[in-house]
Amino acid sequence: MKKSILLPLLIFLFINFSLQAQTDSNVSDAEKFGNLMCDCINTLMDDMHPEIKRMMRNIEALGSEEAQKRFTTYIEEHPEESEEIMSDAKILQNFDQSIADIDVCVELEKFTKKDSFKENEAELEKEVADFLENKSKCVYAYIFYSIGAKNN
């Protein structure tokens, strides 16, 4: 009886792994990069003070000058939160150092060093921007990507 259950289970697992391998190979570099970037930025932003998150969304929606004004006003009106907010702001100021210890960010960096990524980097830029803009989980990654694109 055990053998009759084991064989279908093994066949199922083999088919499942084969399908997963095919799916993984069909994912574009832009999609892989986008997903890694989303996961990296989300890991960084998860524990941030809500006002830091609001400021980042405001940068995208209202521009950095207006976002900064609103951020400053919030801190002035909520001095009891200023220490926590400023601590989180320092994490963002030291962005490269802050993401250096996040595993998925390290994986993202390794991915960008692959030859296939470097060869197609210019072509991937538009695809990555579209991917990030259209994925609801990538709100912050899109904001960071947009800020980076504006500064280059």
Side-chain angles (χ1 to χ4, degrees), residues 66-132:
E66 181 63 26
Q68 187 65 38
K69 283 181 192 176
R70 290 179 182 211
F71 182 70
T72 302
T73 300
Y74 184 89
I75 292 173
E76 289 169 354
E77 293 174 355
H78 301 87
E80 71 282 1
E81 298 177 38
S82 65
E83 189 175 321
E84 180 185 355
I85 292 170
M86 296 315 290
S87 175
D88 286 350
K90 283 182 183 179
I91 291 170
L92 288 180
Q93 285 177 333
N94 299 317
F95 183 79
D96 290 339
Q97 184 180 359
S98 298
I99 65 169
D101 295 330
I102 300 173
D103 290 339
V104 71
C105 298
V106 172
E107 192 176 332
L108 173 64
E109 185 179 350
K110 287 178 186 174
F111 182 79
T112 61
K113 291 181 180 181
K114 288 179 14 181
D115 287 340
S116 64
F117 184 83
K118 288 180 181 179
E119 291 169 5
N120 299 316
E121 191 171 356
E123 297 168 21
L124 292 173
E125 200 168 304
K126 173 84 171 104
E127 285 182 61
V128 169
D130 289 343
F131 177 84
L132 296 175

Side-chain angles (χ1 to χ4, degrees), residues 127-143:
E127 285 182 61
V128 169
D130 289 343
F131 177 84
L132 296 175
E133 184 176 22
N134 294 307
K135 285 283 189 188
S136 61
K137 78 171 190 166
C138 298
V139 171
Y140 296 110
Y142 181 69
I143 292 168

